[in-house]
Amino acid sequence: MDLPNRLDRMIMRLTAQRNCLAQGLPLIADLSGPILEFGLGKGRTYDYLRSHAKGRRIIAFDREIHCPPGCVPAPDDLVLGDFHDTVPGAMDRIGEPAALAHFDVGSEKPDVDTALVTWLATAADPLVAAGGIVIADRAMSNPRWHLLPAPPGGSDGHHFMYRVED
């Protein structure tokens, strides 16, 4: 079977991402803490989160800004630099464990992605509250993170949702 073309893969990925976010946000309704956005990118997910998680602080991490000015977080909610430099010690900046962490860090370099998400699953774990939700564009492995079923409409292996346990 031929792989879908790039446009169809993008549509599947973005649909899966939106489905996971739409299912994940209600799961954190009773949990305090900010939302962490790892990979601000073009600001699409950040924009979605701020319109669907009104009143909740959203802190975005990325190497540099690539999004339009209207999707750039306030300076106190934007952490720029390499994840290896900005994630360790980030609790001082965010103040309390996050209710939801969204990782959109994939590229078209599978080896680089695997190394990064392996590291992030450990390095970012202390930043997410027990009971919180992790949504990622790559499969991640952490003993505290338990894979949740795909949301209605599926994620087709394009996004993964985890519940963080004690």
Side-chain angles (χ1 to χ4, degrees), residues 61-124:
F61 293 73
D62 209 327
R63 180 178 298 276
E64 55 196 16
I65 296 174
H66 293 281
C67 59
C71 292
V72 177
D76 287 347
D77 295 332
L78 180 61
V79 182
L80 294 177
D82 188 282
F83 292 143
H84 291 91
D85 299 326
T86 60
V87 172
M91 186 59 75
D92 292 340
R93 183 165 194 157
I94 67 174
E96 65 178 309
L100 186 145
H102 175 252
F103 295 87
D104 189 356
V105 297
S107 68
E108 294 188 21
K109 300 175 185 170
D111 295 348
V112 172
D113 292 349
T114 299
L116 179 60
V117 298
T118 298
W119 180 81
L120 277 171
T122 300

Side-chain angles (χ1 to χ4, degrees), residues 28 31-36 38 87 91 94 96-103 120-135 140 142 144-145 162-166:
I28 63 162
L31 191 61
S32 67
I35 293 173
L36 303 181
F38 292 93
V87 172
M91 186 59 75
I94 67 174
E96 65 178 309
L100 186 145
H102 175 252
F103 295 87
L120 277 171
T122 300
D125 179 58
L127 305 178
V128 187
I133 298 294
V134 171
I135 298 171
M140 298 180 85
N142 184 296
R144 284 196 331 137
W145 301 2
Y162 304 89
R163 169 77 75 181
V164 178
E165 304 294 334
D166 286 328

Side-chain angles (χ1 to χ4, degrees), residues 2 5 22 47 53 58 64 74 96 112 118 121 126 131 137 143 155 157 164:
D2 291 331
N5 58 66
D47 191 44
I58 304 165
E64 55 196 16
E96 65 178 309
V112 172
T118 298
D137 68 335
S155 67
V164 178

